[in-house]
Amino acid sequence: MNDKIEVLRQEFVAAVKEVKTAADLMSLENRFLGRKRGRLTELMKELKGVPKQQVAQFGQTANKLKLEIVEKISLLKNELANPQGGGFDLDYTLPGKAFPIGHLHLASQAIREIADIFETIGFQRARYPEVEWDYYAFEALNMPADHPARDEWETFFIDRQPINKKMGQRVLTPHTSSGQVREMEKGKLPIRMMNISKTYRRQIDASHVPMFHQFEGLVIDKDINITHLKGTVEYFVKKFFGPERTIRLRPHHFKFTEPSFEVDISCGVCDGQGCKLCKQGWLELAGAGMVHPNVLKAGGIDPKKYSGFAFGWGVERCYMMKSGLAIDDIRLLYKNDLRVINQF
Ligand code: PHE
């Protein structure tokens, strides 16, 4: 019996030398370890005929050979899978895997860019509550309760009824203009404020999202007039959209500015000639105007001594106009679909 085991070992050693491919290895494994007709299985069957005293010893020797074969085959498998790897799939010289790196959302990118531009001409960044009193959002801006102009702001109300005599109910601020009187109340003049913040309106469709961003400029000093407003807006437009763009002021109406304007910017696609995208060469950008005396009074500022201008625009809207992005549904910006977000 011992001889038979030894013969089998020699046979295995000889067979190993012939193995060149994975297929060879498989048939080797089958030939020696196969459950039904493997050489080792056959050998084990012969144990039945061995005298009782010798069974244990033969069994051990046969098992030892089996272990040797199993180990050798698994080694060979590794070698075949990694030809130069010394059995390991590890090459220290390979460049590492690059992990995907995120980036700022385009609204954040635009906010930083806008803040930087205004910072160079002395505007200081401010932020005021997103959950705001009716007073600052409307009342102090020359829009008394029940004034129909309020309807334009599609406001989310937090309280059903006024909960404070002066302040009224709480709202989600529908525009950054709610920061105007808060800024004045700080009591420091002159003012050059840049308030960039989230704003909320009850509108959702292809061109509206209920949460968006606005940036609001407010300047108050002695002898401030419309030329300052126009110069400031033009400076921003040329920096943000490009030096070839120009603006025009179109008369408009807001309760908190007098006179009020809508700012148009020359169309970047047709260069002011008129095209499908624009209205006769102009694109509507946003509102602006000279601060209404009643608003100055609400902020404790004497309108006989001081005057100012304000403008408040949508961040997303500006960004889309700048990039010429033809997004036909603005809601995509906030859907967190990486296929969209990763393009900016
Ligand atoms: N708050 C106005 C809006 O949301 C814009 C505006 C700001 C107009 C400042 C004039 C002055 O539409």
Side-chain angles (χ1 to χ4, degrees), residues 110-126 192-196 214-219 228-241 263 285-288 309-315 318:
I111 287 169
R112 290 194 180 184
E113 207 178 311
I114 292 163
D116 283 352
I117 292 173
F118 282 106
E119 193 185 283
T120 58
I121 49 172
F123 282 76
Q124 279 187 8
R125 189 82 191 268
R192 246 183 253 180
M193 171 200 81
M194 175 51 40
N195 174 22
I196 312 184
Q214 281 192 337
F215 62 106
E216 178 109 0
L218 175 70
V219 170
H228 297 117
L229 162 62
K230 199 170 176 193
T232 306
V233 169
E234 205 164 50
Y235 174 83
F236 167 73
V237 164
K238 286 187 183 300
K239 286 271 172 198
F240 191 75
F241 293 96
V263 180
L285 201 59
F309 66 82
F311 53 88
W313 303 349
V315 169
C318 273

Side-chain angles (χ1 to χ4, degrees), residues 153 175 177 180 201 214 216 254 256-257 287-289 310-312:
W153 278 272
H175 57 173
S177 299
Q180 287 189 15
R201 291 187 197 178
Q214 281 192 337
E216 178 109 0
F254 295 105
F256 39 94
T257 47
F311 53 88

Side-chain angles (χ1 to χ4, degrees), residues 289-334:
M290 303 306 292
V291 180
H292 195 288
N294 287 352
V295 178
L296 290 173
K297 275 188 222 155
I301 295 172
D302 183 352
K304 293 204 184 75
K305 289 193 192 142
Y306 286 90
S307 55
F309 66 82
F311 53 88
W313 303 349
V315 169
E316 291 84 349
R317 196 174 151 71
C318 273
Y319 186 91
M320 285 171 65
M321 281 168 87
K322 166 180 164 147
S323 57
L325 270 183
I327 293 187
D328 54 11
D329 191 335
I330 193 170
R331 288 171 292 194
L332 283 172
L333 299 187
Y334 292 108

Side-chain angles (χ1 to χ4, degrees), residues 38-185:
R39 304 279 286 115
L40 221 84
T41 319
E42 307 263 271
L43 185 78
M44 292 303 198
K45 279 183 197 157
E46 287 182 30
L47 275 179
K48 279 183 197 155
V50 168
K52 271 200 175 158
Q53 308 93 309
Q54 294 172 15
V55 167
Q57 194 259 321
F58 286 131
Q60 268 180 15
T61 323
N63 254 331
K64 209 176 135 227
L65 175 62
K66 187 180 177 182
L67 276 180
E68 278 172 36
I69 293 177
V70 168
E71 212 167 284
K72 182 70 189 169
I73 286 179
S74 99
L75 246 164
L76 285 172
K77 275 188 185 162
N78 236 329
E79 269 170 31
L80 275 173
N82 312 288
Q84 327 97 334
F88 285 104
D89 183 13
L90 199 59
D91 178 352
Y92 296 103
T93 65
L94 282 175
K97 277 191 186 151
F99 285 94
I101 302 173
H103 65 78
L104 291 177
H105 188 272
L106 65 88
S108 306
Q109 293 178 35
I111 287 169
R112 290 194 180 184
E113 207 178 311
I114 292 163
D116 283 352
I117 292 173
F118 282 106
E119 193 185 283
T120 58
I121 49 172
F123 282 76
Q124 279 187 8
R125 189 82 191 268
R127 273 189 85 170
Y128 292 106
E130 287 169 31
V131 178
E132 181 56 287
W133 292 108
D134 176 295
Y135 175 78
Y136 290 109
F138 295 113
E139 189 96 22
L141 295 177
N142 204 27
M143 283 185 277
D146 300 328
H147 195 285
R150 290 175 167 221
D151 287 353
E152 282 172 41
W153 278 272
E154 299 283 349
T155 309
F156 287 105
F157 288 89
I158 290 188
D159 305 305
R160 285 174 187 275
Q161 303 292 332
I163 58 165
N164 180 293
K165 204 159 169 268
K166 180 181 173 195
M167 296 296 167
Q169 37 213 132
R170 287 166 302 176
V171 302
L172 293 184
T173 191
H175 57 173
T176 41
S177 299
S178 55
Q180 287 189 15
V181 168
R182 282 191 178 268
E183 179 76 18
M184 296 176 203
E185 282 179 350

